[in-house]
Amino acid sequence: MKLDRFTLAQTMAFLISIPPDSNLAKLLTFCLTVKVREKTQGLDLLKLTYDLMENPSNLAYWTQDVMGQDLDYTSEEWKALGEMGIKNSDEFMAILSQELENLNL
């Protein structure tokens, strides 16, 4: 996947606008913590994450799938997962969706 400067700037602006204590911030922190295999294709990750957006109730399974991409569950990954504080996947993702709608970009 080739990113141009505008896409990078747009992504950076999006990240800067996210409140640090939000569910969205927690999910993105988890994503930044997770390591994947070197051979994992960007399109495979895009499909995996798009599937989560289509089926938010699968959050628990999705986190395990993402963490298992490199076949090594690290303490940092477990910590980031724990800090998400997920007690109910549907509720977590509903709040996240509302946070997305409320972002001012």
Side-chain angles (χ1 to χ4, degrees), residues 34-82:
V34 171
K35 307 294 182 254
V36 296
R37 290 186 210 169
E38 290 180 24
K39 295 180 181 180
T40 301
Q41 298 292 316
L43 289 177
D44 293 337
L45 293 174
L46 184 58
K47 181 186 179 323
L48 187 65
T49 54
Y50 186 77
D51 286 346
L52 173 63
M53 296 301 109
E54 290 295 305
N55 301 296
S57 63
N58 289 340
L59 178 61
Y61 301 107
W62 180 85
T63 57
Q64 295 302 307
D65 288 345
V66 171
M67 286 174 61
Q69 286 292 310
D70 66 350
L71 305 175
D72 181 26
Y73 295 83
T74 67
S75 58
E76 292 84 7
E77 291 171 339
W78 285 114
K79 180 180 179 207
L81 178 60

mmCIF file of all heavy atoms in Angstrom, residues 34-82:
data_model
loop_
_atom_site.group_PDB
_atom_site.id
_atom_site.type_symbol
_atom_site.label_atom_id
_atom_site.label_comp_id
_atom_site.label_asym_id
_atom_site.label_seq_id
_atom_site.Cartn_x
_atom_site.Cartn_y
_atom_site.Cartn_z
ATOM 1 N N VAL A 34 0.563 -4.236 18.720
ATOM 2 C CA VAL A 34 0.578 -5.567 18.113
ATOM 3 C C VAL A 34 1.644 -5.651 17.020
ATOM 4 O O VAL A 34 1.812 -4.735 16.227
ATOM 5 C CB VAL A 34 -0.809 -5.908 17.532
ATOM 6 C CG1 VAL A 34 -0.764 -7.166 16.704
ATOM 7 C CG2 VAL A 34 -1.821 -6.048 18.646
ATOM 8 N N LYS A 35 2.342 -6.751 17.013
ATOM 9 C CA LYS A 35 3.343 -7.014 15.979
ATOM 10 C C LYS A 35 2.786 -8.085 15.041
ATOM 11 O O LYS A 35 2.114 -9.009 15.470
ATOM 12 C CB LYS A 35 4.649 -7.522 16.592
ATOM 13 C CG LYS A 35 5.214 -6.628 17.684
ATOM 14 C CD LYS A 35 5.645 -5.283 17.135
ATOM 15 C CE LYS A 35 6.250 -4.422 18.199
ATOM 16 N NZ LYS A 35 5.415 -3.344 18.641
ATOM 17 N N VAL A 36 3.088 -7.959 13.773
ATOM 18 C CA VAL A 36 2.646 -8.959 12.802
ATOM 19 C C VAL A 36 3.859 -9.566 12.116
ATOM 20 O O VAL A 36 4.956 -9.016 12.161
ATOM 21 C CB VAL A 36 1.691 -8.364 11.740
ATOM 22 C CG1 VAL A 36 0.415 -7.872 12.374
ATOM 23 C CG2 VAL A 36 2.356 -7.258 10.964
ATOM 24 N N ARG A 37 3.636 -10.686 11.487
ATOM 25 C CA ARG A 37 4.712 -11.325 10.732
ATOM 26 C C ARG A 37 5.162 -10.426 9.598
ATOM 27 O O ARG A 37 4.367 -9.700 9.017
ATOM 28 C CB ARG A 37 4.231 -12.641 10.118
ATOM 29 C CG ARG A 37 3.986 -13.726 11.095
ATOM 30 C CD ARG A 37 3.662 -14.995 10.334
ATOM 31 N NE ARG A 37 2.767 -15.796 11.140
ATOM 32 C CZ ARG A 37 2.141 -16.845 10.707
ATOM 33 N NH1 ARG A 37 2.272 -17.242 9.476
ATOM 34 N NH2 ARG A 37 1.361 -17.531 11.503
ATOM 35 N N GLU A 38 6.429 -10.513 9.272
ATOM 36 C CA GLU A 38 6.967 -9.710 8.177
ATOM 37 C C GLU A 38 6.264 -10.013 6.858
ATOM 38 O O GLU A 38 6.111 -9.146 6.016
ATOM 39 C CB GLU A 38 8.466 -9.949 8.021
ATOM 40 C CG GLU A 38 9.280 -9.379 9.159
ATOM 41 C CD GLU A 38 10.761 -9.630 8.980
ATOM 42 O OE1 GLU A 38 11.215 -9.821 7.837
ATOM 43 O OE2 GLU A 38 11.467 -9.644 10.000
ATOM 44 N N LYS A 39 5.822 -11.250 6.673
ATOM 45 C CA LYS A 39 5.208 -11.650 5.409
ATOM 46 C C LYS A 39 3.711 -11.354 5.342
ATOM 47 O O LYS A 39 3.089 -11.595 4.321
ATOM 48 C CB LYS A 39 5.450 -13.144 5.169
ATOM 49 C CG LYS A 39 6.915 -13.473 4.988
ATOM 50 C CD LYS A 39 7.129 -14.945 4.760
ATOM 51 C CE LYS A 39 8.617 -15.232 4.618
ATOM 52 N NZ LYS A 39 8.902 -16.625 4.403
ATOM 53 N N THR A 40 3.138 -10.821 6.422
ATOM 54 C CA THR A 40 1.714 -10.516 6.411
ATOM 55 C C THR A 40 1.460 -9.360 5.457
ATOM 56 O O THR A 40 2.105 -8.322 5.532
ATOM 57 C CB THR A 40 1.219 -10.144 7.822
ATOM 58 O OG1 THR A 40 1.481 -11.234 8.714
ATOM 59 C CG2 THR A 40 -0.270 -9.850 7.817
ATOM 60 N N GLN A 41 0.538 -9.549 4.550
ATOM 61 C CA GLN A 41 0.212 -8.553 3.546
ATOM 62 C C GLN A 41 -0.689 -7.472 4.143
ATOM 63 O O GLN A 41 -1.574 -7.768 4.950
ATOM 64 C CB GLN A 41 -0.516 -9.209 2.366
ATOM 65 C CG GLN A 41 0.302 -10.248 1.647
ATOM 66 C CD GLN A 41 1.472 -9.629 0.904
ATOM 67 O OE1 GLN A 41 1.331 -8.612 0.243
ATOM 68 N NE2 GLN A 41 2.634 -10.230 1.032
ATOM 69 N N GLY A 42 -0.481 -6.231 3.724
ATOM 70 C CA GLY A 42 -1.323 -5.136 4.165
ATOM 71 C C GLY A 42 -2.786 -5.361 3.857
ATOM 72 O O GLY A 42 -3.662 -5.012 4.634
ATOM 73 N N LEU A 43 -3.061 -5.985 2.717
ATOM 74 C CA LEU A 43 -4.456 -6.256 2.353
ATOM 75 C C LEU A 43 -5.087 -7.276 3.282
ATOM 76 O O LEU A 43 -6.291 -7.209 3.552
ATOM 77 C CB LEU A 43 -4.554 -6.714 0.899
ATOM 78 C CG LEU A 43 -4.302 -5.628 -0.142
ATOM 79 C CD1 LEU A 43 -4.347 -6.227 -1.548
ATOM 80 C CD2 LEU A 43 -5.288 -4.492 -0.019
ATOM 81 N N ASP A 44 -4.290 -8.223 3.789
ATOM 82 C CA ASP A 44 -4.810 -9.190 4.761
ATOM 83 C C ASP A 44 -5.217 -8.473 6.051
ATOM 84 O O ASP A 44 -6.267 -8.763 6.627
ATOM 85 C CB ASP A 44 -3.773 -10.265 5.072
ATOM 86 C CG ASP A 44 -3.477 -11.160 3.888
ATOM 87 O OD1 ASP A 44 -4.325 -11.261 2.977
ATOM 88 O OD2 ASP A 44 -2.380 -11.759 3.870
ATOM 89 N N LEU A 45 -4.390 -7.531 6.485
ATOM 90 C CA LEU A 45 -4.707 -6.768 7.688
ATOM 91 C C LEU A 45 -5.915 -5.867 7.462
ATOM 92 O O LEU A 45 -6.755 -5.716 8.350
ATOM 93 C CB LEU A 45 -3.500 -5.936 8.123
ATOM 94 C CG LEU A 45 -2.298 -6.734 8.602
ATOM 95 C CD1 LEU A 45 -1.121 -5.817 8.870
ATOM 96 C CD2 LEU A 45 -2.642 -7.550 9.831
ATOM 97 N N LEU A 46 -6.004 -5.295 6.284
ATOM 98 C CA LEU A 46 -7.149 -4.446 5.966
ATOM 99 C C LEU A 46 -8.437 -5.260 5.997
ATOM 100 O O LEU A 46 -9.443 -4.825 6.566
ATOM 101 C CB LEU A 46 -6.961 -3.789 4.599
ATOM 102 C CG LEU A 46 -8.039 -2.807 4.174
ATOM 103 C CD1 LEU A 46 -8.183 -1.672 5.173
ATOM 104 C CD2 LEU A 46 -7.716 -2.261 2.793
ATOM 105 N N LYS A 47 -8.411 -6.453 5.430
ATOM 106 C CA LYS A 47 -9.590 -7.317 5.446
ATOM 107 C C LYS A 47 -9.959 -7.692 6.871
ATOM 108 O O LYS A 47 -11.126 -7.638 7.257
ATOM 109 C CB LYS A 47 -9.360 -8.575 4.623
ATOM 110 C CG LYS A 47 -10.579 -9.492 4.591
ATOM 111 C CD LYS A 47 -10.289 -10.798 3.902
ATOM 112 C CE LYS A 47 -11.467 -11.737 3.863
ATOM 113 N NZ LYS A 47 -12.331 -11.782 5.015
ATOM 114 N N LEU A 48 -8.960 -8.045 7.671
ATOM 115 C CA LEU A 48 -9.186 -8.425 9.057
ATOM 116 C C LEU A 48 -9.829 -7.277 9.835
ATOM 117 O O LEU A 48 -10.790 -7.476 10.575
ATOM 118 C CB LEU A 48 -7.861 -8.850 9.698
ATOM 119 C CG LEU A 48 -7.888 -9.426 11.088
ATOM 120 C CD1 LEU A 48 -8.635 -10.750 11.117
ATOM 121 C CD2 LEU A 48 -6.464 -9.631 11.585
ATOM 122 N N THR A 49 -9.312 -6.081 9.657
ATOM 123 C CA THR A 49 -9.859 -4.937 10.392
ATOM 124 C C THR A 49 -11.215 -4.502 9.833
ATOM 125 O O THR A 49 -12.088 -4.089 10.598
ATOM 126 C CB THR A 49 -8.873 -3.754 10.404
ATOM 127 O OG1 THR A 49 -8.507 -3.433 9.065
ATOM 128 C CG2 THR A 49 -7.630 -4.090 11.195
ATOM 129 N N TYR A 50 -11.395 -4.613 8.539
ATOM 130 C CA TYR A 50 -12.699 -4.280 7.962
ATOM 131 C C TYR A 50 -13.767 -5.241 8.477
ATOM 132 O O TYR A 50 -14.890 -4.830 8.763
ATOM 133 C CB TYR A 50 -12.649 -4.311 6.428
ATOM 134 C CG TYR A 50 -13.932 -3.843 5.806
ATOM 135 C CD1 TYR A 50 -14.236 -2.486 5.745
ATOM 136 C CD2 TYR A 50 -14.851 -4.766 5.303
ATOM 137 C CE1 TYR A 50 -15.431 -2.055 5.184
ATOM 138 C CE2 TYR A 50 -16.047 -4.327 4.745
ATOM 139 C CZ TYR A 50 -16.332 -2.982 4.691
ATOM 140 O OH TYR A 50 -17.522 -2.558 4.152
ATOM 141 N N ASP A 51 -13.410 -6.504 8.624
ATOM 142 C CA ASP A 51 -14.346 -7.487 9.172
ATOM 143 C C ASP A 51 -14.803 -7.077 10.574
ATOM 144 O O ASP A 51 -15.959 -7.272 10.938
ATOM 145 C CB ASP A 51 -13.719 -8.880 9.214
ATOM 146 C CG ASP A 51 -13.607 -9.521 7.837
ATOM 147 O OD1 ASP A 51 -14.240 -9.020 6.881
ATOM 148 O OD2 ASP A 51 -12.860 -10.520 7.721
ATOM 149 N N LEU A 52 -13.886 -6.491 11.364
ATOM 150 C CA LEU A 52 -14.272 -6.021 12.696
ATOM 151 C C LEU A 52 -15.294 -4.887 12.587
ATOM 152 O O LEU A 52 -16.267 -4.860 13.340
ATOM 153 C CB LEU A 52 -13.045 -5.547 13.489
ATOM 154 C CG LEU A 52 -13.376 -4.890 14.827
ATOM 155 C CD1 LEU A 52 -14.048 -5.882 15.776
ATOM 156 C CD2 LEU A 52 -12.132 -4.296 15.450
ATOM 157 N N MET A 53 -15.072 -3.981 11.660
ATOM 158 C CA MET A 53 -16.013 -2.871 11.513
ATOM 159 C C MET A 53 -17.390 -3.362 11.078
ATOM 160 O O MET A 53 -18.414 -2.808 11.471
ATOM 161 C CB MET A 53 -15.496 -1.850 10.485
ATOM 162 C CG MET A 53 -14.204 -1.160 10.882
ATOM 163 S SD MET A 53 -14.305 -0.258 12.439
ATOM 164 C CE MET A 53 -13.326 -1.270 13.510
ATOM 165 N N GLU A 54 -17.427 -4.429 10.287
ATOM 166 C CA GLU A 54 -18.696 -5.002 9.844
ATOM 167 C C GLU A 54 -19.359 -5.848 10.929
ATOM 168 O O GLU A 54 -20.581 -5.997 10.942
ATOM 169 C CB GLU A 54 -18.475 -5.853 8.591
ATOM 170 C CG GLU A 54 -18.127 -5.032 7.371
ATOM 171 C CD GLU A 54 -19.266 -4.113 6.941
ATOM 172 O OE1 GLU A 54 -20.384 -4.605 6.726
ATOM 173 O OE2 GLU A 54 -19.012 -2.895 6.855
ATOM 174 N N ASN A 55 -18.550 -6.441 11.810
ATOM 175 C CA ASN A 55 -19.059 -7.326 12.870
ATOM 176 C C ASN A 55 -18.423 -6.933 14.205
ATOM 177 O O ASN A 55 -17.592 -7.666 14.746
ATOM 178 C CB ASN A 55 -18.711 -8.786 12.550
ATOM 179 C CG ASN A 55 -19.292 -9.225 11.230
ATOM 180 O OD1 ASN A 55 -20.499 -9.267 11.066
ATOM 181 N ND2 ASN A 55 -18.427 -9.520 10.275
ATOM 182 N N PRO A 56 -18.824 -5.782 14.766
ATOM 183 C CA PRO A 56 -18.174 -5.288 15.982
ATOM 184 C C PRO A 56 -18.301 -6.222 17.188
ATOM 185 O O PRO A 56 -17.458 -6.185 18.084
ATOM 186 C CB PRO A 56 -18.849 -3.949 16.245
ATOM 187 C CG PRO A 56 -20.031 -3.886 15.362
ATOM 188 C CD PRO A 56 -19.838 -4.880 14.268
ATOM 189 N N SER A 57 -19.298 -7.076 17.191
ATOM 190 C CA SER A 57 -19.443 -8.003 18.321
ATOM 191 C C SER A 57 -18.327 -9.048 18.342
ATOM 192 O O SER A 57 -18.149 -9.747 19.329
ATOM 193 C CB SER A 57 -20.811 -8.681 18.290
ATOM 194 O OG SER A 57 -20.943 -9.466 17.128
ATOM 195 N N ASN A 58 -17.552 -9.138 17.257
ATOM 196 C CA ASN A 58 -16.427 -10.087 17.184
ATOM 197 C C ASN A 58 -15.130 -9.506 17.739
ATOM 198 O O ASN A 58 -14.057 -10.066 17.506
ATOM 199 C CB ASN A 58 -16.187 -10.521 15.737
ATOM 200 C CG ASN A 58 -17.286 -11.419 15.228
ATOM 201 O OD1 ASN A 58 -18.026 -12.024 15.997
ATOM 202 N ND2 ASN A 58 -17.409 -11.503 13.922
ATOM 203 N N LEU A 59 -15.206 -8.413 18.485
ATOM 204 C CA LEU A 59 -14.014 -7.737 18.988
ATOM 205 C C LEU A 59 -13.088 -8.678 19.758
ATOM 206 O O LEU A 59 -11.871 -8.671 19.546
ATOM 207 C CB LEU A 59 -14.404 -6.542 19.863
ATOM 208 C CG LEU A 59 -13.257 -5.761 20.495
ATOM 209 C CD1 LEU A 59 -12.357 -5.158 19.418
ATOM 210 C CD2 LEU A 59 -13.803 -4.679 21.415
ATOM 211 N N ALA A 60 -13.631 -9.495 20.634
ATOM 212 C CA ALA A 60 -12.792 -10.403 21.433
ATOM 213 C C ALA A 60 -12.023 -11.370 20.539
ATOM 214 O O ALA A 60 -10.831 -11.614 20.749
ATOM 215 C CB ALA A 60 -13.651 -11.167 22.439
ATOM 216 N N TYR A 61 -12.694 -11.925 19.543
ATOM 217 C CA TYR A 61 -12.030 -12.844 18.610
ATOM 218 C C TYR A 61 -11.021 -12.101 17.741
ATOM 219 O O TYR A 61 -9.938 -12.597 17.458
ATOM 220 C CB TYR A 61 -13.062 -13.547 17.722
ATOM 221 C CG TYR A 61 -14.075 -14.326 18.512
ATOM 222 C CD1 TYR A 61 -15.385 -13.868 18.635
ATOM 223 C CD2 TYR A 61 -13.718 -15.512 19.159
ATOM 224 C CE1 TYR A 61 -16.316 -14.582 19.381
ATOM 225 C CE2 TYR A 61 -14.646 -16.222 19.905
ATOM 226 C CZ TYR A 61 -15.938 -15.750 20.008
ATOM 227 O OH TYR A 61 -16.848 -16.454 20.744
ATOM 228 N N TRP A 62 -11.378 -10.883 17.333
ATOM 229 C CA TRP A 62 -10.504 -10.073 16.497
ATOM 230 C C TRP A 62 -9.193 -9.762 17.214
ATOM 231 O O TRP A 62 -8.120 -9.888 16.624
ATOM 232 C CB TRP A 62 -11.223 -8.781 16.095
ATOM 233 C CG TRP A 62 -10.401 -7.889 15.242
ATOM 234 C CD1 TRP A 62 -10.261 -7.948 13.886
ATOM 235 C CD2 TRP A 62 -9.578 -6.799 15.676
ATOM 236 N NE1 TRP A 62 -9.401 -6.949 13.450
ATOM 237 C CE2 TRP A 62 -8.982 -6.241 14.538
ATOM 238 C CE3 TRP A 62 -9.299 -6.241 16.924
ATOM 239 C CZ2 TRP A 62 -8.123 -5.144 14.601
ATOM 240 C CZ3 TRP A 62 -8.443 -5.152 16.992
ATOM 241 C CH2 TRP A 62 -7.861 -4.628 15.839
ATOM 242 N N THR A 63 -9.280 -9.379 18.491
ATOM 243 C CA THR A 63 -8.042 -9.059 19.219
ATOM 244 C C THR A 63 -7.125 -10.271 19.291
ATOM 245 O O THR A 63 -5.912 -10.145 19.128
ATOM 246 C CB THR A 63 -8.329 -8.524 20.634
ATOM 247 O OG1 THR A 63 -9.106 -9.473 21.364
ATOM 248 C CG2 THR A 63 -9.042 -7.178 20.584
ATOM 249 N N GLN A 64 -7.697 -11.436 19.503
ATOM 250 C CA GLN A 64 -6.889 -12.655 19.555
ATOM 251 C C GLN A 64 -6.277 -12.972 18.188
ATOM 252 O O GLN A 64 -5.110 -13.366 18.095
ATOM 253 C CB GLN A 64 -7.732 -13.833 20.039
ATOM 254 C CG GLN A 64 -8.202 -13.683 21.472
ATOM 255 C CD GLN A 64 -7.058 -13.531 22.448
ATOM 256 O OE1 GLN A 64 -6.138 -14.331 22.484
ATOM 257 N NE2 GLN A 64 -7.113 -12.477 23.240
ATOM 258 N N ASP A 65 -7.058 -12.797 17.130
ATOM 259 C CA ASP A 65 -6.544 -13.034 15.772
ATOM 260 C C ASP A 65 -5.391 -12.093 15.449
ATOM 261 O O ASP A 65 -4.367 -12.497 14.890
ATOM 262 C CB ASP A 65 -7.642 -12.849 14.728
ATOM 263 C CG ASP A 65 -8.661 -13.970 14.733
ATOM 264 O OD1 ASP A 65 -8.392 -15.030 15.331
ATOM 265 O OD2 ASP A 65 -9.736 -13.775 14.122
ATOM 266 N N VAL A 66 -5.550 -10.832 15.806
ATOM 267 C CA VAL A 66 -4.516 -9.841 15.508
ATOM 268 C C VAL A 66 -3.257 -10.120 16.330
ATOM 269 O O VAL A 66 -2.140 -10.090 15.808
ATOM 270 C CB VAL A 66 -5.046 -8.410 15.764
ATOM 271 C CG1 VAL A 66 -3.939 -7.382 15.674
ATOM 272 C CG2 VAL A 66 -6.151 -8.079 14.776
ATOM 273 N N MET A 67 -3.434 -10.401 17.607
ATOM 274 C CA MET A 67 -2.275 -10.695 18.458
ATOM 275 C C MET A 67 -1.545 -11.943 17.987
ATOM 276 O O MET A 67 -0.324 -12.032 18.094
ATOM 277 C CB MET A 67 -2.713 -10.875 19.915
ATOM 278 C CG MET A 67 -3.069 -9.582 20.600
ATOM 279 S SD MET A 67 -3.748 -9.822 22.274
ATOM 280 C CE MET A 67 -2.408 -10.617 23.122
ATOM 281 N N GLY A 68 -2.271 -12.898 17.453
ATOM 282 C CA GLY A 68 -1.675 -14.159 17.028
ATOM 283 C C GLY A 68 -1.041 -14.128 15.649
ATOM 284 O O GLY A 68 -0.473 -15.129 15.210
ATOM 285 N N GLN A 69 -1.076 -12.991 14.970
ATOM 286 C CA GLN A 69 -0.513 -12.896 13.627
ATOM 287 C C GLN A 69 0.952 -13.298 13.573
ATOM 288 O O GLN A 69 1.402 -13.891 12.605
ATOM 289 C CB GLN A 69 -0.669 -11.477 13.070
ATOM 290 C CG GLN A 69 -2.066 -11.132 12.656
ATOM 291 C CD GLN A 69 -2.508 -11.917 11.440
ATOM 292 O OE1 GLN A 69 -1.817 -11.971 10.439
ATOM 293 N NE2 GLN A 69 -3.672 -12.526 11.538
ATOM 294 N N ASP A 70 1.713 -12.946 14.598
ATOM 295 C CA ASP A 70 3.148 -13.265 14.581
ATOM 296 C C ASP A 70 3.472 -14.515 15.402
ATOM 297 O O ASP A 70 4.636 -14.835 15.607
ATOM 298 C CB ASP A 70 3.977 -12.082 15.083
ATOM 299 C CG ASP A 70 3.742 -11.768 16.547
ATOM 300 O OD1 ASP A 70 2.809 -12.342 17.145
ATOM 301 O OD2 ASP A 70 4.486 -10.944 17.096
ATOM 302 N N LEU A 71 2.426 -15.192 15.889
ATOM 303 C CA LEU A 71 2.574 -16.415 16.682
ATOM 304 C C LEU A 71 3.316 -16.178 17.999
ATOM 305 O O LEU A 71 3.883 -17.095 18.575
ATOM 306 C CB LEU A 71 3.284 -17.511 15.867
ATOM 307 C CG LEU A 71 2.642 -17.852 14.532
ATOM 308 C CD1 LEU A 71 3.495 -18.861 13.773
ATOM 309 C CD2 LEU A 71 1.228 -18.368 14.719
ATOM 310 N N ASP A 72 3.321 -14.920 18.484
ATOM 311 C CA ASP A 72 4.006 -14.575 19.726
ATOM 312 C C ASP A 72 3.167 -13.546 20.472
ATOM 313 O O ASP A 72 3.066 -12.400 20.052
ATOM 314 C CB ASP A 72 5.397 -14.009 19.426
ATOM 315 C CG ASP A 72 6.166 -13.665 20.680
ATOM 316 O OD1 ASP A 72 5.901 -14.266 21.742
ATOM 317 O OD2 ASP A 72 7.020 -12.762 20.613
ATOM 318 N N TYR A 73 2.542 -13.965 21.567
ATOM 319 C CA TYR A 73 1.733 -13.065 22.379
ATOM 320 C C TYR A 73 2.650 -12.396 23.400
ATOM 321 O O TYR A 73 3.091 -13.040 24.341
ATOM 322 C CB TYR A 73 0.627 -13.840 23.093
ATOM 323 C CG TYR A 73 -0.387 -14.453 22.159
ATOM 324 C CD1 TYR A 73 -0.141 -15.679 21.541
ATOM 325 C CD2 TYR A 73 -1.577 -13.803 21.891
ATOM 326 C CE1 TYR A 73 -1.081 -16.233 20.682
ATOM 327 C CE2 TYR A 73 -2.520 -14.357 21.037
ATOM 328 C CZ TYR A 73 -2.261 -15.569 20.441
ATOM 329 O OH TYR A 73 -3.181 -16.120 19.592
ATOM 330 N N THR A 74 2.944 -11.110 23.208
ATOM 331 C CA THR A 74 3.893 -10.427 24.090
ATOM 332 C C THR A 74 3.183 -9.810 25.293
ATOM 333 O O THR A 74 1.964 -9.579 25.272
ATOM 334 C CB THR A 74 4.631 -9.302 23.337
ATOM 335 O OG1 THR A 74 3.684 -8.278 22.996
ATOM 336 C CG2 THR A 74 5.319 -9.834 22.085
ATOM 337 N N SER A 75 3.954 -9.517 26.318
ATOM 338 C CA SER A 75 3.386 -8.880 27.513
ATOM 339 C C SER A 75 2.855 -7.484 27.177
ATOM 340 O O SER A 75 1.866 -7.038 27.757
ATOM 341 C CB SER A 75 4.420 -8.818 28.640
ATOM 342 O OG SER A 75 5.564 -8.112 28.238
ATOM 343 N N GLU A 76 3.493 -6.801 26.227
ATOM 344 C CA GLU A 76 3.018 -5.478 25.819
ATOM 345 C C GLU A 76 1.643 -5.570 25.158
ATOM 346 O O GLU A 76 0.779 -4.718 25.363
ATOM 347 C CB GLU A 76 4.012 -4.815 24.852
ATOM 348 C CG GLU A 76 5.332 -4.428 25.480
ATOM 349 C CD GLU A 76 6.337 -5.587 25.521
ATOM 350 O OE1 GLU A 76 6.062 -6.668 24.938
ATOM 351 O OE2 GLU A 76 7.384 -5.420 26.159
ATOM 352 N N GLU A 77 1.453 -6.615 24.345
ATOM 353 C CA GLU A 77 0.155 -6.805 23.700
ATOM 354 C C GLU A 77 -0.923 -7.100 24.734
ATOM 355 O O GLU A 77 -2.018 -6.529 24.685
ATOM 356 C CB GLU A 77 0.236 -7.942 22.676
ATOM 357 C CG GLU A 77 1.079 -7.616 21.474
ATOM 358 C CD GLU A 77 1.340 -8.796 20.565
ATOM 359 O OE1 GLU A 77 1.218 -9.965 21.008
ATOM 360 O OE2 GLU A 77 1.678 -8.562 19.394
ATOM 361 N N TRP A 78 -0.622 -7.975 25.692
ATOM 362 C CA TRP A 78 -1.583 -8.292 26.743
ATOM 363 C C TRP A 78 -1.912 -7.057 27.570
ATOM 364 O O TRP A 78 -3.068 -6.837 27.950
ATOM 365 C CB TRP A 78 -1.067 -9.412 27.643
ATOM 366 C CG TRP A 78 -1.136 -10.763 27.017
ATOM 367 C CD1 TRP A 78 -0.085 -11.560 26.673
ATOM 368 C CD2 TRP A 78 -2.311 -11.495 26.650
ATOM 369 N NE1 TRP A 78 -0.539 -12.729 26.104
ATOM 370 C CE2 TRP A 78 -1.898 -12.723 26.083
ATOM 371 C CE3 TRP A 78 -3.674 -11.222 26.734
ATOM 372 C CZ2 TRP A 78 -2.807 -13.664 25.619
ATOM 373 C CZ3 TRP A 78 -4.577 -12.175 26.267
ATOM 374 C CH2 TRP A 78 -4.136 -13.375 25.724
ATOM 375 N N LYS A 79 -0.900 -6.235 27.844
ATOM 376 C CA LYS A 79 -1.118 -5.010 28.620
ATOM 377 C C LYS A 79 -2.047 -4.068 27.856
ATOM 378 O O LYS A 79 -2.998 -3.529 28.429
ATOM 379 C CB LYS A 79 0.214 -4.323 28.913
ATOM 380 C CG LYS A 79 0.069 -3.062 29.713
ATOM 381 C CD LYS A 79 1.409 -2.397 29.982
ATOM 382 C CE LYS A 79 1.176 -1.119 30.758
ATOM 383 N NZ LYS A 79 2.185 -0.129 30.561
ATOM 384 N N ALA A 80 -1.778 -3.841 26.576
ATOM 385 C CA ALA A 80 -2.618 -2.955 25.764
ATOM 386 C C ALA A 80 -4.042 -3.486 25.678
ATOM 387 O O ALA A 80 -5.006 -2.712 25.750
ATOM 388 C CB ALA A 80 -2.020 -2.790 24.368
ATOM 389 N N LEU A 81 -4.173 -4.801 25.558
ATOM 390 C CA LEU A 81 -5.511 -5.410 25.528
ATOM 391 C C LEU A 81 -6.225 -5.178 26.851
ATOM 392 O O LEU A 81 -7.391 -4.778 26.874
ATOM 393 C CB LEU A 81 -5.406 -6.906 25.221
ATOM 394 C CG LEU A 81 -6.716 -7.687 25.210
ATOM 395 C CD1 LEU A 81 -7.672 -7.140 24.155
ATOM 396 C CD2 LEU A 81 -6.440 -9.166 24.963
ATOM 397 N N GLY A 82 -5.521 -5.382 27.950
ATOM 398 C CA GLY A 82 -6.123 -5.169 29.265
ATOM 399 C C GLY A 82 -6.533 -3.726 29.493
ATOM 400 O O GLY A 82 -7.570 -3.448 30.114
#
